[in-house]
Amino acid sequence: MQNVSFHIQSKEDKIIPEHFMCIILEQYVMKYHKVCVMCNDEKQSKILSNHIWSFPPSGFMPHQCKDNMIITEGFFKHKSVINMSKNPVLNIKTQIIELVFNDEQSINEARDRFKIYKTNGFKLTHIKEDKFQCQQQA
């Protein structure tokens, strides 16, 4: 059965969505996941790529942009997809990671994707993220 993990940003968390995505991306990369970030378009992939190159502040996560995707580079044991697009990822046979940011639009869009995944028989989990102590970069 296909797994989808919804990482839910704390309502008290003040970091921007791009930074939240970088934190979750780093968590998976540190667990030896090759991660593909699915984006809405090339513009979004470039914005996210710029955030990834500067994260964490003491280093960076090597990656490349291809079409509307960002792909991490290095040695990996597992494969995952972070979905930053508006549409559910139904045709990929790997761990899917959905991010739910702390604004109403993101929450509603995530609910819609959740319903589609559930209808298609995916195994769904929720991970409530604690408030991150780091500050957003200006």
Side-chain angles (χ1 to χ4, degrees):
M1 181 178 290
Q2 184 95 19
N3 293 324
V4 181
S5 298
F6 284 80
H7 287 262
I8 303 168
Q9 186 178 15
S10 167
K11 291 192 185 299
E12 294 81 35
D13 203 343
K14 302 297 181 207
I15 62 173
I16 60 174
E18 294 84 358
H19 195 75
F20 180 71
M21 187 274 309
C22 286
I23 291 168
I24 303 304
L25 174 63
E26 182 184 40
Q27 289 176 4
Y28 281 87
V29 169
M30 296 301 285
K31 295 176 187 174
Y32 300 105
H33 285 248
K34 180 180 185 97
V35 181
C36 174
V37 180
M38 304 291 288
C39 302
N40 284 313
D41 52 36
E42 191 174 335
K43 179 181 177 184
Q44 183 186 32
S45 69
K46 286 181 180 180
I47 291 169
L48 293 174
S49 176
N50 287 336
H51 281 273
I52 295 168
W53 280 121
S54 63
F55 189 90
S58 61
F60 65 94
M61 284 183 277
H63 66 280
Q64 62 177 310
C65 293
K66 184 177 181 182
D67 301 323
N68 296 340
M69 299 178 290
I70 299 168
I71 303 166
T72 58
E73 297 177 344
F75 174 75
F76 303 102
K77 296 179 182 177
H78 314 283
K79 293 182 181 178
S80 298
V81 170
I82 293 180
N83 185 23
M84 292 292 290
S85 74
K86 304 274 186 219
N87 301 312
V89 180
L90 300 174
N91 58 349
I92 295 177
K93 303 290 182 205
T94 190
Q95 170 71 33
I96 298 169
I97 303 155
E98 288 281 349
L99 304 182
V100 184
F101 308 112
N102 58 8
D103 64 80
E104 283 303 313
Q105 180 178 348
S106 176
I107 293 167
N108 290 331
E109 290 171 352
R111 284 182 182 139
D112 292 341
R113 290 191 306 275
F114 179 91
K115 290 174 189 173
I116 293 169
Y117 287 126
K118 187 174 181 177
T119 300
N120 283 279
F122 288 72
K123 180 181 175 189
L124 307 169
T125 58
H126 292 87
I127 302 167
K128 292 187 178 185
E129 297 293 346
D130 292 331
K131 181 179 175 185
F132 292 108
Q133 298 301 316
C134 53
Q135 300 294 317
Q136 97 181 32
Q137 297 175 347

